[in-house]
Amino acid sequence: MTSAQVVETSVTNNSSFQNYTHPDDHTIRTTDTPGFKPFTMLRSLGRQSERLANNYISSVSTVRRIRQQLWFNHRCKDHGLVPAGLKLKSPLNTQEAIQIVKSTCRRLVKARINDCHRRLNYCNNKLQQQLDKLKQLLPTNLLDTVMTIAGRRADKTTDRVRTEQERKLTRLQRNKDKKR
């Protein structure tokens, strides 16, 4: 249940959730406004503002995740590695068939890189549109706070994905070295 649903439910049911506050309200504070609660303030501006801010925060993480995927795929291409999801097995055990499959796998890595660029451009455009709308709807201090929250969450996503992809690269490199 989203925070907007919780607030809506508490108002209609007059339940104990009436005093609900978003977890970020407790941790993110601006230096110039003591007790500043961004998600409570967003709620007071309306559901559209809250939904847009949450979508923006999610989009920032998505852009960072795609950048990490792009980094991973470029490393695979640079080192002649094929990620597990793109590996093909030759249906024939001939040198010609094996070479065709290897070539196809390399082309698939390049196609995945192109797809990452396409998705990154799309998401960056969407992110810019969301930011432009937020600039119209939110006061500057609230917008700055939303952007800070988005950056912190995206940093966590980047760290998690980077660690996972470095582990995958190491494993792929080890498997390639074993085959030599």
Side-chain angles (χ1 to χ4, degrees):
M1 186 179 275
T2 66
S3 59
Q5 291 170 323
V6 170
V7 170
E8 183 180 348
T9 304
S10 68
V11 169
T12 57
N13 296 345
N14 201 14
S15 70
S16 62
F17 282 90
Q18 204 157 7
N19 296 326
Y20 172 81
T21 56
H22 195 280
D24 287 337
D25 288 352
H26 301 290
T27 57
I28 306 296
R29 298 193 187 271
T30 59
T31 55
D32 50 328
T33 312
F36 180 71
K37 296 182 177 184
F39 283 90
T40 301
M41 191 170 200
L42 278 170
R43 257 181 249 115
S44 72
L45 293 174
R47 279 207 272 209
Q48 179 189 10
S49 298
E50 183 181 12
R51 190 176 303 121
L52 188 59
N54 282 323
N55 288 343
Y56 174 78
I57 291 167
S58 176
S59 293
V60 171
S61 291
T62 299
V63 166
R64 296 268 190 98
R65 190 174 59 252
I66 293 170
R67 284 184 184 152
Q68 281 304 124
Q69 292 168 352
L70 187 58
W71 174 87
F72 172 77
N73 288 307
H74 273 293
R75 295 302 77 71
C76 286
K77 180 182 166 236
D78 294 345
H79 296 289
L81 304 171
V82 178
L86 297 180
K87 275 200 174 157
L88 302 175
K89 186 174 179 179
S90 178
L92 302 173
N93 196 16
T94 65
Q95 197 60 26
E96 181 184 12
I98 292 169
Q99 289 304 316
I100 289 171
V101 168
K102 283 183 179 180
S103 172
T104 302
C105 288
R106 286 190 300 270
R107 291 180 67 197
L108 285 171
V109 172
K110 290 177 185 176
R112 187 183 265 182
I113 289 170
N114 290 336
D115 183 60
C116 281
H117 281 291
R118 183 193 55 77
R119 288 185 300 130
L120 188 59
N121 287 335
Y122 171 80
C123 289
N124 274 328
N125 289 338
K126 182 178 164 184
L127 187 66
Q128 187 59 51
Q129 290 171 354
Q130 290 170 337
L131 183 59
D132 292 343
K133 245 184 181 174
L134 282 172
K135 285 178 181 177
Q136 294 172 355
L137 295 173
L138 304 182
T140 305
N141 65 336
L142 185 57
L143 178 63
D144 291 344
T145 302
V146 168
M147 291 174 70
T148 300
I149 292 168
R152 288 179 182 172
R153 289 190 185 171
D155 289 344
K156 288 179 185 177
T157 298
T158 301
D159 291 345
R160 181 181 48 78
V161 172
R162 170 69 63 114
T163 301
E164 180 183 319
Q165 290 176 336
E166 286 174 346
R167 183 181 48 79
K168 285 181 183 180
L169 275 173
T170 302
R171 187 174 58 229
L172 287 170
Q173 188 65 51
R174 234 184 279 128
N175 290 343
K176 182 180 178 182
D177 292 343
K178 282 182 186 177
K179 290 181 181 181
R180 287 184 181 177

